[in-house]
Amino acid sequence: QVQLVESGGGLVQPGGSLRLTCAASGSSFSIITMGWYRQAPGKQRELVASITSGGSTMYADSVKGRFTISRDNTKKTVYLQMNSLKPEDTGLFYCNGYLGPTTTRFNWGQGTQVTVSS
């Protein structure tokens, strides 16, 4: 079973930037589509961005042009570069293997908290 460890969150002012990192274990990482998910306070977890094994990306409308997902298969790591952060980006961020709009591959990790506030 793949284990996922997210890091890089923190408190940032509106307009600031953060880079999240997801480290994965397991031998099949390079062939798996990976996603970053956000759970805002009081809301359901939602897909923010995904990246295929070949590097094709998809973004939620709310983050297009501000967030960039990338991966390094040699390090079994997925990144989420977040720029121009807004208060509504606040939430707990997780990574997981993407199977569909509401389906993921693995157990959820602990996530990393992102708080955007002045």
Side-chain angles (χ1 to χ4, degrees):
Q1 175 70 303
V2 170
Q3 291 189 322
L4 304 164
V5 179
E6 302 92 348
S7 63
L11 173 63
V12 63
Q13 291 187 341
S17 298
L18 283 174
R19 189 193 195 202
L20 306 184
T21 299
C22 167
S25 62
S27 59
S28 58
F29 174 83
S30 64
I31 64 173
I32 294 172
T33 295
M34 295 295 295
W36 277 100
Y37 300 77
R38 174 176 63 203
Q39 186 163 22
K43 294 187 177 181
Q44 297 238 357
R45 191 153 35 200
E46 61 176 351
L47 178 68
V48 170
S50 65
I51 184 167
T52 68
S53 58
S56 297
T57 58
M58 184 280 294
Y59 297 94
D61 288 343
S62 60
V63 307
K64 277 180 183 176
R66 300 187 298 121
F67 289 11
T68 302
I69 188 171
S70 61
R71 67 191 294 163
D72 184 337
N73 289 334
T74 63
K75 296 181 179 180
K76 297 182 183 179
T77 303
V78 182
Y79 305 99
L80 186 68
Q81 177 67 43
M82 306 187 295
N83 299 327
S84 302
L85 282 161
K86 304 175 181 180
E88 52 263 43
D89 293 319
T90 293
L92 200 54
F93 282 71
Y94 303 85
C95 65
N96 209 317
Y98 173 86
L99 284 177
T102 59
T103 309
T104 54
R105 282 185 176 268
F106 310 119
N107 293 331
W108 294 101
Q110 295 297 309
T112 185
Q113 177 67 40
V114 172
T115 303
V116 185
S117 175
S118 55

